Amino acid sequence: LRGGKEDSRGALVVLEGLDRCGKTTQSTRLVANLERLRHSAELWRFPDRTTSVGQMISSYLSNKSQLDDHTIHLLFSANRWEKRSLMESKLKSGITLVVDRYSYSGVAFSSAKGLDIEWCKAPEIGLLAPDLVVYLDIPPEKAAERGGYGGERYEQLEFQKKVGQNYQVLRGPTWKIIDACSPMEEIEEQLQNMALDCVKTCQEGKPLSCLWS
Ligand code: T5A
Ligand code: NA
């Protein structure tokens, strides 16, 4: 039975982009808008700094600890794996998850350090595939001008340029691009429309799938 009520589920919507592109601003607004329109939705983010793995990641990002590039890559991945079953049960119960960063961040940032892209993708295989990935597109120079930039490990212009190139390699059919330099309200509206389309197809019974697909 496809398309019946039994298969109805929430959507997995991921926001991606360079540091300071506006993911947190927009994912917060999207969840509020979905709720206003009577859809159940939750805001999630990776890294999830609340778990013990997340605390190791947080310490690394704020330069309080050093880790081998492969090790931190696997920790970011483990941080998604420890949430996988909860994500699946929330989606199946009809809750839409709006996720601030996901596996694409994992691959784009680690491969910007020189790690092989296929090696970076491997530990992500089997995680839930997003129904929609919205890429907030910003030139690295513009992102660097925004508030708070420069505090964490990866917030350096040359590094962010490489990350942007890697994101381009990862783009696939579930991706939509929004100009992140537009006014916040315009981005909010575009994002809402994209998300509502996606929520509808998931309510109609689009099956869940796994990365990389
Ligand atoms: N990482 C992450 C990995 O290496 N591997 C992984 O697997 C994962 C998941 C932490 C770091 O970890 C790396 C990537 C990151 O380097 P994070 O905690 O998500 O990831 O940190 P950031 O992405 O850096 O989050 P930021 O909070 O810096 O940026 P956001 O969320 O993209 O931007 P936001 O919304 O906070 O906005 C930034 C500023 O811009 C303004 C806002 O008011 C704010 O001041 N702004 C706008 N200004 C003008 N026009 C607009 N349209 C604007 N939208 C927002
Ligand atoms: Na953020």
Side-chain angles (χ1 to χ4, degrees):
L1 187 79
R2 284 267 163 260
K5 264 191 185 146
E6 278 170 57
D7 296 317
S8 180
R9 63 171 176 91
L12 180 55
V13 177
V14 167
L15 275 79
E16 287 281 2
L18 300 182
D19 290 5
R20 297 299 186 268
C21 66
K23 296 174 307 302
T24 300
T25 305
Q26 292 298 335
S27 49
T28 306
R29 290 181 180 206
L30 177 59
V31 169
N33 288 332
L34 289 172
E35 286 176 335
R36 186 173 48 77
L37 297 167
R38 305 200 174 281
H39 293 286
S40 42
E42 286 183 11
L43 177 58
W44 283 46
R45 65 168 56 215
F46 290 107
D48 178 341
R49 302 187 193 216
T50 65
T51 69
S52 52
V53 172
Q55 282 161 24
M56 291 173 74
I57 295 170
S58 189
S59 151
Y60 171 83
L61 286 172
S62 56
N63 290 303
K64 290 190 189 102
S65 66
Q66 307 304 321
L67 288 169
D68 168 78
D69 292 344
H70 301 80
T71 309
I72 182 65
H73 181 76
L74 295 172
L75 288 177
F76 273 115
S77 186
N79 188 229
R80 283 181 282 279
W81 275 102
E82 62 185 341
K83 295 287 165 179
R84 189 198 181 285
S85 63
L86 184 60
M87 290 176 84
E88 184 169 348
S89 60
K90 295 252 180 194
L91 291 168
K92 286 183 170 164
S93 76
I95 301 170
T96 285
L97 303 181
V98 175
V99 185
D100 186 348
R101 293 196 183 281
Y102 197 57
S103 301
Y104 312 95
S105 287
V107 176
F109 281 77
S110 289
S111 61
K113 298 170 173 174
L115 299 187
D116 176 69
I117 197 157
E118 293 306 321
W119 187 89
C120 291
K121 285 168 89 169
E124 308 295 321
I125 295 172
L127 289 172
L128 297 173
D131 298 296
L132 170 66
V133 181
V134 178
Y135 184 76
L136 297 180
D137 195 15
I138 190 169
E141 293 80 5
K142 291 275 181 217
E145 289 166 10
R146 290 188 174 174
Y149 197 83
E152 282 201 330
R153 187 179 284 265
Y154 298 144
E155 293 170 351
Q156 291 159 19
L157 187 55
E158 288 311 309
F159 189 78
Q160 295 285 323
K161 285 182 184 166
K162 285 187 201 154
V163 173
Q165 289 162 4
N166 293 336
Y167 269 125
Q168 289 205 22
V169 177
L170 294 172
R171 285 181 192 183
T174 57
W175 287 51
K176 297 214 183 303
I177 318 294
I178 295 181
D179 180 358
C181 295
S182 305
M184 287 183 198
E185 291 68 29
E186 273 177 34
I187 299 171
E188 181 180 352
E189 195 187 334
Q190 287 178 53
L191 177 61
Q192 181 182 313
N193 291 335
M194 289 171 183
L196 285 174
D197 281 348
C198 175
V199 165
K200 187 162 175 278
T201 63
C202 295
Q203 276 174 342
E204 288 167 355
K206 180 191 173 200
L208 265 176
S209 60
C210 295
L211 289 176
W212 290 88
S213 66

mmCIF file of all heavy atoms in Angstrom, residues 1-8 203-205:
data_model
loop_
_atom_site.group_PDB
_atom_site.id
_atom_site.type_symbol
_atom_site.label_atom_id
_atom_site.label_comp_id
_atom_site.label_asym_id
_atom_site.label_seq_id
_atom_site.Cartn_x
_atom_site.Cartn_y
_atom_site.Cartn_z
ATOM 1 N N LEU A 1 0.850 -1.204 0.000
ATOM 2 C CA LEU A 1 0.000 0.000 0.000
ATOM 3 C C LEU A 1 0.880 1.246 0.000
ATOM 4 O O LEU A 1 1.635 1.472 0.932
ATOM 5 C CB LEU A 1 -0.897 -0.025 1.240
ATOM 6 C CG LEU A 1 -1.968 1.072 1.321
ATOM 7 C CD1 LEU A 1 -3.155 0.721 0.439
ATOM 8 C CD2 LEU A 1 -2.438 1.260 2.748
ATOM 9 N N ARG A 2 0.792 2.039 -1.051
ATOM 10 C CA ARG A 2 1.562 3.288 -1.135
ATOM 11 C C ARG A 2 0.608 4.470 -1.194
ATOM 12 O O ARG A 2 -0.419 4.393 -1.861
ATOM 13 C CB ARG A 2 2.435 3.305 -2.396
ATOM 14 C CG ARG A 2 3.656 2.445 -2.277
ATOM 15 C CD ARG A 2 4.861 3.246 -1.775
ATOM 16 N NE ARG A 2 5.896 2.355 -1.291
ATOM 17 C CZ ARG A 2 6.107 2.082 -0.017
ATOM 18 N NH1 ARG A 2 5.379 2.644 0.919
ATOM 19 N NH2 ARG A 2 7.075 1.271 0.334
ATOM 20 N N GLY A 3 0.957 5.522 -0.516
ATOM 21 C CA GLY A 3 0.180 6.744 -0.620
ATOM 22 C C GLY A 3 -0.988 6.796 0.349
ATOM 23 O O GLY A 3 -1.636 7.818 0.469
ATOM 24 N N GLY A 4 -1.238 5.704 1.036
ATOM 25 C CA GLY A 4 -2.300 5.705 2.033
ATOM 26 C C GLY A 4 -1.817 6.342 3.320
ATOM 27 O O GLY A 4 -0.649 6.697 3.447
ATOM 28 N N LYS A 5 -2.716 6.443 4.289
ATOM 29 C CA LYS A 5 -2.387 7.077 5.555
ATOM 30 C C LYS A 5 -1.268 6.338 6.292
ATOM 31 O O LYS A 5 -0.474 6.946 6.989
ATOM 32 C CB LYS A 5 -3.624 7.142 6.432
ATOM 33 C CG LYS A 5 -4.353 8.476 6.329
ATOM 34 C CD LYS A 5 -5.415 8.609 7.405
ATOM 35 C CE LYS A 5 -6.216 9.893 7.194
ATOM 36 N NZ LYS A 5 -7.595 9.752 7.586
ATOM 37 N N GLU A 6 -1.241 5.024 6.100
ATOM 38 C CA GLU A 6 -0.248 4.209 6.804
ATOM 39 C C GLU A 6 1.188 4.630 6.504
ATOM 40 O O GLU A 6 2.077 4.474 7.320
ATOM 41 C CB GLU A 6 -0.386 2.744 6.380
ATOM 42 C CG GLU A 6 -1.479 2.010 7.110
ATOM 43 C CD GLU A 6 -1.730 0.659 6.474
ATOM 44 O OE1 GLU A 6 -0.770 -0.116 6.389
ATOM 45 O OE2 GLU A 6 -2.877 0.407 6.073
ATOM 46 N N ASP A 7 1.410 5.105 5.271
ATOM 47 C CA ASP A 7 2.754 5.467 4.856
ATOM 48 C C ASP A 7 3.085 6.931 5.114
ATOM 49 O O ASP A 7 4.177 7.374 4.828
ATOM 50 C CB ASP A 7 2.933 5.174 3.359
ATOM 51 C CG ASP A 7 2.806 3.693 3.074
ATOM 52 O OD1 ASP A 7 3.369 2.911 3.840
ATOM 53 O OD2 ASP A 7 2.125 3.347 2.101
ATOM 54 N N SER A 8 2.099 7.673 5.618
ATOM 55 C CA SER A 8 2.321 9.094 5.856
ATOM 56 C C SER A 8 3.423 9.283 6.891
ATOM 57 O O SER A 8 3.498 8.566 7.868
ATOM 58 C CB SER A 8 1.008 9.715 6.350
ATOM 59 O OG SER A 8 1.201 11.076 6.582
ATOM 60 N N GLN A 203 3.888 13.226 3.293
ATOM 61 C CA GLN A 203 2.551 12.876 3.828
ATOM 62 C C GLN A 203 1.855 11.888 2.904
ATOM 63 O O GLN A 203 1.106 11.020 3.353
ATOM 64 C CB GLN A 203 1.677 14.134 3.944
ATOM 65 C CG GLN A 203 1.910 14.912 5.216
ATOM 66 C CD GLN A 203 1.136 16.230 5.242
ATOM 67 O OE1 GLN A 203 0.691 16.733 4.209
ATOM 68 N NE2 GLN A 203 0.987 16.786 6.421
ATOM 69 N N GLU A 204 2.112 12.034 1.605
ATOM 70 C CA GLU A 204 1.470 11.158 0.613
ATOM 71 C C GLU A 204 2.132 9.790 0.522
ATOM 72 O O GLU A 204 1.736 8.964 -0.293
ATOM 73 C CB GLU A 204 1.459 11.844 -0.757
ATOM 74 C CG GLU A 204 0.467 12.999 -0.812
ATOM 75 C CD GLU A 204 0.635 13.894 -2.034
ATOM 76 O OE1 GLU A 204 1.588 13.687 -2.809
ATOM 77 O OE2 GLU A 204 -0.183 14.819 -2.190
ATOM 78 N N GLY A 205 3.181 9.588 1.302
ATOM 79 C CA GLY A 205 3.737 8.239 1.399
ATOM 80 C C GLY A 205 5.065 7.996 0.705
ATOM 81 O O GLY A 205 5.464 6.855 0.497
#
